[in-house]
Structures are given as structure tokens and as C-alpha cells.
Amino acid sequence: MNSKVTYNQALDLLKSGEVVAIPTETVYGLAGRIDNQKTLENIFNIKKRPSFDPLIVHCYKASQAKQYISGDIKLVECLWKVFSPGPLTVVVPKNDKISSMITANQNTVALRIPKHFLVRNLLENLNIPLAAPSANLYGKLSPTKADDVVSIFSGKVPVLDGGDCEVGLESTIIQPDLKNKKIFILRPGTITKEHLQKCLKDNNFDFSVADKKNSFHPGGQIEHYQPDVPLILVESDTEDSQIISFLKSKYPSRFIQKLSLEKPPQIIARYLYSDLRKLSQDKNNIIFVNRTKNQVGEVWSAIWNRLEKASSKKFNLT
Ligand code: TXA
Ligand code: MG
């Protein structure tokens, strides 16, 4: 069930309208050309993704991405100068070159210029953008290694192996509101509010940056990124041994496993999904993660955004 393909095979498959799992610097993506309805349909089917949840369009460079935007692009161009290629996705008003299947009938499109050299080579040679959601089944953990993708789709989807993803968490998604001079963060990532604020200030954009919480947007589901065994979020400043005995009393027949967060946040982000995947291999396991008061700062907000959605239960032991 090994479905790995070479770069040239991946390029030919994508050219002919097949769906291929490709590496990006954030997570692996399930990619297909944006100009083929059947290809787009296949992406939704393979991922079991509901049609109301739109896809990100991956472009080679700003000049290509610009072709799909309607309206004023000065701000977006400025952001791309600083953050692209890289883990930033911008949601902007679309024009009619983008099909409504990609955007789930919305009048905006999510655009990203990825950094991994293999996806960059593919995009340059294809000369057409690739629509790509993360290469996981809907609601489950995103893959950060080629072997993860092979096992998620039981070898039925061709995979281009680009090694382990460097960032490990999905891109930051932002949506500028030009009228009100605001940038909303729809999904936090490793490009943080502070990075964005600095870029705006340095370039004389009098905009503020805010999290968009508690409002409906397509990918804002509460449950997401779920491992195959329960993940329990424990708020506590006590010793692990106390947390473990508490959990043992609640779940006497399970093996209690700790997801350790004792590294710098960038490193935790890089290995978060692969650590969760490892800890869920034994179906008797229960994973716990300890939230403490010192885990503050912007990359932590991306980490806790994923862990909150991945967890199925919360206990407060403070
Ligand atoms: O790092 C990433 O962004 C990865 C790699 C493969 O590029 N892709 C990724 O795609 O995470 P996906 O589909 O798993 O997550 C994209 C999110 C979804 O939650 C979707 O709802 C949201 O972006 N999205 C896409 N288009 C949107 C739009 N027009 N307005 C608001 N949200 C949008
Ligand atoms: Mg996803």
C-alpha cells in the first residue's frame, strides 16, 4: 500500500487532473488543479469534506495570485512582500476566474503562496494554481509526514514525499476588512498578530489586527484536528503524578499518556500532530495535556487553538 510517487510523476498526475498529496512547509495538502471541476469534486470526496467548507488556492507568486482578486490589492501586496512565500493565507474578494466550488459559493477566496521547494517547483511548472486542503480526513489530525498520508488514505492517493513539515501547524488565515481598517485572524498560526502588526506599522497602514472569535466562518468548527483516542485538556499547576492519579480514577481501564509541552513553542508546533498521532496508536490510551499559566505568547495561541478543538474533555484542577 505504498503510494509514493516521484516529483515527475506527481507533476504529470496533477497536469492530467489527478489529486496528489503534496508537501508544504505547514502540513501535507491534498492538491488538484483549480481549473477542473472533476478534480475539485474529487478533493472533497477523498477528504470526506462537506461542500460548504471552502479550499485554499495555492499560487506560485504574488503576480499569479493577484489575478484572482477583485478590488484594492495594495494591502495584500504589502503583506505578501513580507510574508510570502510562507505560512500565511489571505481571504480576499474573488473574481469570476475562481469557481464557486472552491469557495463554497462565497464571494471571497483564500490565497496562499507556499514555501516548500517541491510545491514551489510544481506550481512553477504547472503554471496553474493548486487547490489544497490539509491531507487529512475531515475533522482529524493533519499529516506532517508522507507516511502519515499513505496510512490515512490506505495507499489510495499518490503522495509526493517532501520530508517532515518544518512548521507543523496549518497557515495563519487572515481576512482584511479595508473599510474598517482591520485585519481579522480567522485561524492563528506561526505568523502571529505581532508579526502582522509590525508589518502594517512599518508600511504605514493604519490598521489593527484582531482575532475573529465566536463568529461563523466556514472552517471555524469547534471540533477539529481530533486524534483517534480521547485527548483530555487539564488546567492545572500541580505535579503530573497528581493529574495522572486523578485521571486514573476517572478512566480506570485506560493507559494515561502525557502530551509534553516542555519545549519552545515553535518546536512544539512542529511536532504537535506527529506526537498526537504516536500517542494514539494504542486504542487503550488516553492522552492528557496540561495547560499552565506560563504558556503565553502568540505561537501558543495557535497551539491552544488546535488543542482546544482536538480535545474531547476538559478538567480544571486549579
Ligand atoms: O497550511 C495550510 O493552510 C494547509 C496547507 C495544505 O496549505 N491547508 C489547509 O487547508 O489547512 P484546510 O482546507 O485544511 O483549511 C483551510 C481553512 C478551512 O477551514 C476553510 O474553511 C478556510 O480555510 N477557508 C477557505 N476559504 C475560505 C474563505 N473564502 N473564507 C473563509 N475561510 C476560508
Ligand atoms: Mg484542515
Side-chain angles (χ1 to χ4, degrees), residues 4-140:
K4 289 194 193 168
V5 293
T6 64
Y7 174 82
N8 285 333
Q9 288 170 323
L11 182 60
D12 287 344
L13 287 164
L14 287 166
K15 268 188 195 155
S16 66
E18 297 293 320
V19 174
V20 179
I22 55 158
T24 83
E25 74 279 19
T26 56
V27 298
Y28 276 73
L30 205 52
R33 50 192 299 159
I34 60 162
D35 60 348
N36 185 326
Q37 287 298 108
K38 188 77 202 139
T39 307
L40 297 170
E41 239 176 80
N42 283 343
I43 294 177
F44 281 94
N45 290 340
I46 295 170
K47 192 176 157 80
K48 300 196 167 59
R49 180 175 193 140
S51 58
F52 64 75
D53 199 352
L55 306 177
I56 296 178
V57 171
H58 296 68
C59 297
Y60 177 54
K61 53 184 177 182
S63 58
Q64 183 183 51
K66 255 161 47 176
Q67 295 173 43
Y68 302 102
I69 304 180
S70 111
D72 187 349
I73 57 166
K74 281 199 288 294
L75 173 70
V76 176
E77 274 189 309
C78 164
L79 293 168
W80 276 335
K81 271 205 188 112
V82 178
F83 298 112
S84 288
L88 182 73
T89 298
V90 290
V91 172
V92 284
K94 77 169 193 93
N95 61 28
D96 56 15
K97 288 188 191 141
I98 292 286
S99 87
S100 57
M101 185 179 270
I102 293 179
T103 65
N105 288 318
Q106 300 192 94
N107 54 14
T108 54
V109 60
L111 297 170
R112 163 156 136 77
I113 301 168
K115 192 173 179 186
H116 193 291
F117 75 101
L118 285 176
V119 63
R120 297 201 59 66
N121 282 332
L122 289 171
L123 288 167
E124 186 178 18
N125 284 310
L126 282 166
N127 204 19
I128 176 97
L130 289 169
S134 49
N136 50 323
L137 290 171
Y138 188 67
K140 307 296 288 181

Side-chain angles (χ1 to χ4, degrees), residues 1-2 4 28 143-153 159 161 163-164 277:
M1 72 155 206
N2 196 336
K4 289 194 193 168
Y28 276 73
T144 52
K145 300 172 190 298
D147 288 335
D148 296 343
V149 188
V150 172
S151 83
I152 291 170
F153 299 109
V159 183
D161 192 341
D164 293 4
R277 218 173 268 285

Side-chain angles (χ1 to χ4, degrees), residues 47 49 133-134 136 142 170 187 224-225:
K47 192 176 157 80
R49 180 175 193 140
S134 49
N136 50 323
S142 298
E170 300 83 352
R187 180 176 69 186
H224 210 7
Y225 315 110

Side-chain angles (χ1 to χ4, degrees), residues 75 78 181 197-207:
L75 173 70
C78 164
K181 298 196 165 189
Q197 257 155 357
K198 179 169 186 327
C199 165
L200 293 167
K201 189 160 172 263
D202 290 351
N203 290 283
N204 299 319
F205 279 97
D206 176 22
F207 273 57

